[in-house]
Amino acid sequence: MSVHKEVKRITTHILQEMKSRGEKIAMLTAYDYSMAAIVDEAGVDIILVGDSASNVMAGHETTLPITLDQMIYHASSVVRAAKRALVVVDLPFGSYQGNSKEALNSAIRIMKEAGAHSVKMEGGVEIAESVSRILTAGIPVMGHLGLTPQSIYKFGTYTVRARHEAEAQKLREDALKLQELGCFGIVLEKIPATLAKEVSESLNIPTIGIGAGRHCDGQVLVIHDMLGINKAFKPRFLRQYANLSEAMNGAIKNYVSDVKAKSFPDETEQY
Ligand code: KIV
């Protein structure tokens, strides 16, 4: 008799129920199999294969250079590891802004070639046609409003967005539009906590905040930042749960010194 216990996969429907009963949603990024397995096992509800891979995995200054093929590579590794979490994959810059057919083809590639469960797209009313076309094909879509890093050259800085009423009003309207189109959730990045609270309370679908305060229905962080692997990045919103860069540096220094001192490997570590 098999003792294998089936793990119940988080679905967009379950996320909706979590919002309804006031249970917060935990989301983290992952970009490879080993990290995703740890994240999934630790109970994270949504794994985001973010285009932040462009920064933390490839060392680019922005998220713009990462390609659809590269996102599919990262996503397929994560999907193989995720037993419980819902896997959301960013549509990268240039793969959906052209027209809705191109957007749909990109989303289909992510679902088909990576085996992802959903996609995420930055923007509001201006991408409505693409969002709608992807949703019509049966692909769940998560929105992303506020600081949208794919538009960094338009903004000019990574500072807090929607501080002024005109931009706040646009964000409110964008959020309602994305909900109306059928998105299952919206990431709110780096906006005032009061605005994030208002938007979260006005929507039926969950909001996931990053630098958007405690009233969002869930939170997301980039795993390299919260584990302290990426030492240079320390914005106010980031809570660092570990200092892995220091731990790894110490371990690697010990290894180098053992090799140099000829103390590794010893007799028990050979055949
Ligand atoms: O790419 C990413 O990691 C993201 C999060 C910051 C929300 O979009």
Side-chain angles (χ1 to χ4, degrees), residues 240-257:
Q240 203 179 298
Y241 285 85
N243 192 347
L244 287 199
S245 76
E246 210 167 286
M248 289 167 80
N249 186 274
I252 294 164
K253 276 186 173 146
N254 286 341
Y255 164 74
V256 170
S257 122

Side-chain angles (χ1 to χ4, degrees), residues 179-257:
Q179 168 171 279
E180 191 185 298
L181 290 170
C183 287
F184 72 88
I186 303 177
V187 166
L188 297 176
E189 180 163 357
K190 236 175 163 185
I191 61 169
T194 47
L195 177 62
K197 178 174 190 288
E198 185 197 325
V199 170
S200 302
E201 286 171 359
S202 75
L203 297 178
N204 302 318
I205 57 172
T207 60
I208 310 289
I210 172 162
R214 59 167 62 186
H215 296 289
C216 294
D217 303 301
Q219 297 293 327
V220 59
L221 287 174
V222 169
I223 188 126
H224 289 66
D225 301 338
M226 60 89 73
L227 291 180
I229 296 173
N230 180 12
K231 278 204 303 196
F233 188 64
K234 285 208 166 108
R236 188 207 295 200
F237 70 76
L238 175 64
R239 187 176 293 179
Q240 203 179 298
Y241 285 85
N243 192 347
L244 287 199
S245 76
E246 210 167 286
M248 289 167 80
N249 186 274
I252 294 164
K253 276 186 173 146
N254 286 341
Y255 164 74
V256 170
S257 122

Side-chain angles (χ1 to χ4, degrees), residues 91 96 99-100 103-104 107 119-144 177-184:
L91 282 184
Y96 63 99
N99 58 59
S100 63
L104 176 61
V119 298
K120 175 163 83 58
M121 299 162 74
E122 297 183 6
V125 289
E126 52 290 322
I127 58 160
E129 192 185 317
S130 297
V131 169
S132 168
R133 196 157 176 178
I134 294 172
L135 284 163
T136 306
I139 301 172
V141 176
M142 175 172 256
H144 184 156
K177 182 71 185 175
L178 291 173
Q179 168 171 279
E180 191 185 298
L181 290 170
C183 287
F184 72 88

Side-chain angles (χ1 to χ4, degrees), residues 126-167:
E126 52 290 322
I127 58 160
E129 192 185 317
S130 297
V131 169
S132 168
R133 196 157 176 178
I134 294 172
L135 284 163
T136 306
I139 301 172
V141 176
M142 175 172 256
H144 184 156
L145 298 172
L147 175 64
T148 47
Q150 292 178 10
S151 305
I152 187 57
Y153 290 114
K154 185 172 103 185
F155 297 143
T157 78
Y158 286 99
T159 189
V160 179
R161 304 304 311 173
R163 276 197 197 278
H164 301 295
E165 184 47 31
E167 198 181 336

